[in-house]
Amino acid sequence: MCCVYFPSKLKSLPDPWCPPGFFKAEASNRSCQACPANSQALVSGAQFCFCKDRFYRAPTDLRSGPCTGLPSAPRDLMASTQLPSGKLLLSWKPPEDTGDREDITYNVECQRCDGPVCQTCGEKIRYEPGSVGLTDTKVLVSQLDAHLNYTFTVEALSGVSQVLEEEMPSSTSITTSVLFTGDIKLVEQTPSSLSLSWDVSPRSQPTSYELTYRKKDDNLDKTTYIVPKLEKNYAQIKDLAPATAYLFRVQALSSDGSRGGFSQEEQFETLSEASMVALARQDDTYFSTPEQLKPLKTYVDPHTYEDPNVAVLKFATEIHPSHVTKQKVIGAGEFGEVYKGILKAPGKKEFAVAIKTLKSGYSEKQRQDFLSEASIMGQFSHQNIIRLEGVVTKFKHAMIVTEYVENGALDKYLRNHDGEFSSFQLVGMLRGIAAGMKYLSDMSYVHRDLAARNILVNNNLECKVSDFGLSRVLEDDPEGTYTTSGGKIPIRWTAPEAIAYRKFTSASDVWSFGIVMWEVMAFGERPYWDMSNHEVMKAINEAFRLPAPMDCPSTVYQLMLQCWLQDRSKRPRFGDIVSLLDKLVRSPDSLKTIADFDPRISIRLPSTSGSDGSPFRSVSEWLESIKMSQYIDNFTSAGILTMDQVLQMKNEDVKNIGVRLPGHLKRIAYSILGLKDQTSTLSVFAV
Ligand code: AMP
């Protein structure tokens, strides 16, 4: 029975073979279906239709369904920066051509560029709700830096994109930078005025600011006041009502007039008249002269409290130790290790902090000295002063928690980045330090140990004055040396009158600031090199001063010399120093003239003669003495074969024979300057 023939039945069935352009998934009675959109069946009998060129089915699509194309690029990508600091909102429109699909999603990628150097943004920045698989056409980006350019690329994807891994998704990009200000801080309050300042990035474009404020709880008066075109990151708002809360917001404006993000809205209250009277009673001298109408701006020495623990409570916030997590040791303080860690207070965002600890086995006196730093720091609120977050005092292990400053101590940071910053950037750092010192001197606080090692520097090259303990100059600083006048003093940084008879004033801090200027402009070089403290004191008393660091602008060196005037009343005040440095930063042309080395302004320089004091006999002997013998061949090939020829060399010549490393260049150039000036070890200089 091979072949049974049922002619009548066969005739009633549809043709099992579909013609071209039609398909039928399985042999059945059902009729053939026309190929769905963007697909085709070129021969008869197709079980499904193939996708036409450049159309695809996603792995989850039915074989019987239509074929779809890749989406075109998202449209009209925009970045709105008028948001709280460090945030921007990217938004776009769906692609013009969705490829006939509805499962369009978006991925956002980011590159950040500091000048010409670009890299992917990595995990540093945050996206809400995320950066991949977005179904909405917007994303909030946060934790951006103010001085960088960011390029955001938004890709459009759909189910078919995964079939085509090699094909780049259609995308669109935008380059933008965020201009913003940091948190607003209260500098001073009276019954009728509030003085505020806010952080700025020194590397962002020149900007002005617009401050907006309004009364907090006033249902009748909803007026918003605007203070436009503020040139500095500071404002004093007058004619306010006493004991009233105001809300403030600040917005940065770029030089081309475009507006940056808003700061967070902050609330500050004016004082009540009653509190002023109370303060006046506390301090009878308060109303004696008009300049002293600054009760809250005067520093209170924690020593004036009978019980130092009361001072800590007054000026510092107590933190519960469970809110503090230590992560790694970053330094060694006088009283114990310093850690990097995290502070997470309930209801607040966590952030990086530095944690100073008190080692076990301390005496009560040591504990009080340790915590005195917090009592002092807690009285300050300034962008260029290290900020105290709080203290842990109620538990066995006392801690001081401060803001974390990413790049650590300035002297070391500059030594590690020798030659990498322009004079403009270095002067910007000095301006910050001077602003911090002006704030301290306005509060009548004398630092006594101002030195680059006691300045911390953050990722924006912003400098923060630190190190405020009561005993620190005496014990903490390895530079501290005992003097005949008693106590330990960091000789190289200290004004002569403070060394001689312990006359520490803001004017002696100005002297130290001059030394910090020199350290900064010389990328962390040790002041007076390898001279002994005794030699330094002798030289200063004989009116010698440090020579200009290499490539130091003349205006900057002139300011250093002013800071080192013997007569302390003639030295500039920190206010003058801030104004001058401000001017220099605002007109970078003023930094173009480089200070000459003036042989009259000399001091003993590194290795100016052989160890026995006799002149060097050969170029190699000299280079060996300054540990630069790797350059012997450079000198020989340049035809510099005798010490007489070396003596003719200028800084440019040293560069031209191939000495490029800034540290080496400096060492060789200074040594030559010293050799030129060898008629006496310390040559004549009159300030
Ligand atoms: P100090 O006891 O204040 O001299 O601190 C010792 C070292 O710890 C410093 O030289 C810094 O390297 C580091 N350090 C202290 N405080 C901070 C901070 N707030 N941020 C980053 N590093 C810090």
Side-chain angles (χ1 to χ4, degrees):
M1 289 261 294
C2 86
C3 314
V4 184
Y5 188 50
F6 300 112
S8 57
K9 226 174 183 182
L10 194 67
K11 259 201 184 131
S12 67
L13 283 173
D15 184 353
W17 295 98
C18 298
F22 289 82
F23 78 104
K24 183 154 63 166
E26 59 209 41
S28 72
N29 289 347
R30 293 168 61 185
S31 53
C32 295
Q33 285 177 271
C35 281
N38 308 316
S39 68
Q40 60 192 356
L42 298 177
V43 291
S44 55
Q47 287 187 314
F48 66 92
C49 304
F50 288 97
C51 290
K52 289 185 183 161
D53 197 25
R54 305 206 60 77
F55 290 93
Y56 318 89
R57 288 194 184 95
T60 51
D61 289 350
L62 292 173
R63 276 211 307 190
S64 54
C67 294
T68 49
L70 280 171
S72 59
R75 287 171 302 149
D76 300 342
L77 175 59
M78 286 199 313
S80 158
T81 57
Q82 293 198 30
L83 290 172
S85 296
K87 294 189 179 176
L88 62 78
L89 182 72
L90 289 177
S91 60
W92 57 92
K93 289 200 186 130
E96 174 117 61
D97 176 7
T98 61
D100 285 340
R101 296 190 68 90
E102 283 174 0
D103 59 351
I104 305 290
T105 59
Y106 307 94
N107 288 352
V108 182
E109 281 174 7
C110 166
Q111 286 236 313
R112 62 193 164 109
C113 303
D114 193 357
V117 186
C118 295
Q119 53 183 317
T120 56
C121 300
E123 286 166 9
K124 201 174 164 277
I125 64 171
R126 295 258 161 91
Y127 301 89
E128 271 170 60
S131 63
V132 291
L134 297 168
T135 48
D136 210 355
T137 54
K138 59 179 186 287
V139 63
L140 182 67
V141 191
S142 57
Q143 302 198 357
L144 298 166
D145 284 329
H147 59 275
L148 299 176
N149 274 332
Y150 289 92
T151 300
F152 292 97
T153 303
V154 181
E155 298 173 346
L157 299 120
S158 69
V160 293
S161 303
Q162 38 184 309
V163 187
L164 295 157
E165 273 171 9
E166 268 130 61
E167 189 124 352
M168 290 290 281
S170 305
S171 65
T172 181
S173 295
I174 189 168
T175 297
T176 180
S177 61
V178 285
L179 194 63
F180 63 81
T181 58
D183 296 343
I184 308 180
K185 289 176 204 146
L186 180 65
V187 178
E188 192 183 357
Q189 57 192 153
T190 74
S192 64
S193 73
L194 289 168
S195 301
L196 309 173
S197 75
W198 48 92
D199 294 348
V200 283
S201 161
R203 286 207 252 167
S204 57
Q205 294 298 310
T207 50
S208 64
Y209 306 93
E210 190 171 283
L211 182 78
T212 318
Y213 67 95
R214 62 194 164 92
K215 272 190 193 166
K216 190 187 170 212
D217 299 315
D218 199 333
N219 291 331
L220 296 174
D221 181 7
K222 293 214 182 287
T223 318
T224 298
Y225 300 88
I226 295 178
V227 189
K229 294 227 168 115
L230 287 161
E231 286 191 356
K232 297 213 172 121
N233 57 327
Y234 173 86
Q236 188 183 37
I237 300 100
K238 295 184 183 159
D239 301 327
L240 301 176
T244 306
Y246 288 85
L247 295 169
F248 293 89
R249 247 178 15 165
V250 67
Q251 186 178 30
L253 308 174
S254 79
S255 48
D256 64 10
S258 62
R259 283 170 180 268
F262 284 114
S263 69
Q264 301 282 6
E265 194 165 54
E266 300 275 357
Q267 175 182 331
F268 299 108
E269 269 171 51
T270 47
L271 288 179
S272 67
E273 305 281 6
S275 68
M276 290 298 274
V277 174
L279 276 163
R281 281 210 199 99
Q282 230 177 39
D283 179 359
D284 288 344
T285 60
Y286 164 58
F287 281 117
S288 59
T289 60
E291 304 90 85
Q292 282 173 313
L293 284 173
K294 292 175 184 165
L296 290 175
K297 283 189 91 181
T298 306
Y299 153 77
V300 182
D301 184 344
H303 270 149
T304 56
Y305 284 76
E306 215 167 292
D307 179 355
N309 295 314
V310 175
V312 180
L313 283 177
K314 185 170 160 73
F315 298 120
T317 315
E318 181 74 26
I319 297 177
H320 193 278
S322 66
H323 300 157
V324 184
T325 316
K326 288 185 223 142
Q327 290 176 319
K328 62 167 186 191
V329 176
I330 51 169
E334 173 200 352
F335 295 97
E337 273 140 350
V338 183
Y339 293 81
K340 180 190 175 188
I342 298 284
L343 176 63
K344 169 80 188 81
K348 292 205 176 152
K349 252 198 189 165
E350 64 170 44
F351 58 96
V353 286
I355 305 158
K356 285 194 180 187
T357 57
L358 176 60
K359 56 184 166 241
S360 45
Y362 53 83
S363 64
E364 181 53 25
K365 163 94 176 51
Q366 280 173 320
R367 184 175 176 280
Q368 286 174 4
D369 282 350
F370 170 70
L371 290 172
S372 71
E373 178 164 21
S375 307
I376 298 172
M377 231 192 279
Q379 298 182 46
F380 306 141
S381 167
H382 191 276
Q383 190 184 347
N384 300 103
I385 309 279
I386 184 86
R387 186 180 68 244
L388 178 72
E389 297 297 342
V391 286
V392 177
T393 64
K394 298 198 174 134
F395 292 82
K396 192 168 157 233
H397 298 288
M399 292 183 242
I400 298 178
V401 182
T402 65
E403 69 178 303
Y404 176 68
V405 188
E406 301 89 344
N407 293 318
L410 178 61
D411 61 335
K412 197 167 157 212
Y413 179 72
L414 288 173
R415 281 198 283 274
N416 290 339
H417 294 86
D418 195 350
E420 289 177 25
F421 301 117
S422 63
S423 297
F424 177 79
Q425 287 170 306
L426 298 176
V427 175
M429 292 187 213
L430 290 173
R431 201 214 78 93
I433 303 169
M437 289 308 298
K438 174 180 184 305
Y439 175 85
L440 294 180
S441 65
D442 284 348
M443 284 187 77
S444 311
Y445 178 82
V446 180
H447 190 289
R448 297 178 176 220
D449 197 9
L450 178 58
R453 65 182 168 280
N454 289 330
I455 306 286
L456 297 165
V457 60
N458 74 10
N459 277 342
N460 290 330
L461 298 185
E462 243 171 0
C463 290
K464 317 252 175 187
V465 179
S466 79
D467 219 22
F468 296 106
L470 281 182
S471 64
R472 71 201 192 284
V473 183
L474 307 174
E475 310 295 339
D476 189 15
D477 194 329
E479 288 292 346
T481 307
Y482 287 101
T483 63
T484 47
S485 63
K488 256 170 127 186
I489 287 178
I491 299 292
R492 278 153 222 271
W493 283 265
T494 306
E497 73 277 5
I499 298 177
Y501 50 98
R502 305 191 60 74
K503 185 76 191 162
F504 285 98
T505 57
S506 290
S508 62
D509 276 353
V510 165
W511 178 291
S512 312
F513 181 78
I515 304 290
V516 172
M517 290 180 72
W518 192 91
E519 290 184 275
V520 168
M521 300 314 292
F523 286 95
E525 186 112 48
R526 181 170 171 74
Y528 313 97
W529 301 279
D530 52 0
M531 286 170 73
S532 70
N533 279 343
H534 184 76
E535 285 174 312
V536 171
M537 284 192 285
K538 184 167 177 290
I540 294 298
N541 283 337
E542 290 170 6
F544 298 103
R545 297 295 183 264
L546 280 164
M550 187 127 87
D551 296 333
C552 177
S554 176
T555 41
V556 176
Y557 183 55
Q558 288 309 315
L559 180 59
M560 287 182 210
L561 292 175
Q562 296 288 309
C563 295
W564 300 329
L565 287 177
Q566 182 73 26
D567 180 348
R568 68 173 192 277
S569 68
K570 297 219 167 79
R571 292 175 205 152
R573 308 276 173 100
F574 279 115
D576 308 322
I577 297 176
V578 175
S579 319
L580 181 78
L581 293 176
D582 247 351
K583 269 196 209 143
L584 299 185
V585 176
R586 277 167 203 276
S587 51
D589 275 357
S590 62
L591 301 174
K592 283 199 176 139
T593 313
I594 302 303
D596 276 341
F597 173 76
D598 179 344
R600 288 173 309 129
I601 315 172
S602 172
I603 202 155
R604 201 190 72 177
L605 295 155
S607 298
T608 51
S609 63
S611 53
D612 57 355
S614 59
F616 294 109
R617 278 168 303 231
S618 66
V619 177
S620 59
E621 188 185 290
W622 162 64
L623 284 173
E624 267 155 32
S625 83
I626 57 169
K627 301 191 179 65
M628 290 286 122
S629 44
Q630 65 266 47
Y631 291 109
I632 291 172
D633 287 349
N634 299 46
F635 279 75
T636 316
S637 0
I640 298 182
L641 308 170
T642 66
M643 286 309 287
D644 276 347
Q645 286 170 297
V646 168
L647 281 168
Q648 307 300 320
M649 290 178 82
K650 301 204 169 67
N651 286 352
E652 277 314 301
D653 303 328
V654 185
K655 282 186 200 164
N656 288 341
I657 65 166
V659 180
R660 294 258 170 266
L661 272 182
H664 294 178
L665 196 60
K666 261 190 272 187
R667 195 153 185 91
I668 294 172
Y670 273 126
S671 178
I672 297 174
L673 295 175
L675 292 169
K676 286 181 184 168
D677 197 32
Q678 218 174 23
T679 40
S680 63
T681 319
L682 295 168
S683 64
V684 190
F685 169 58
V687 180

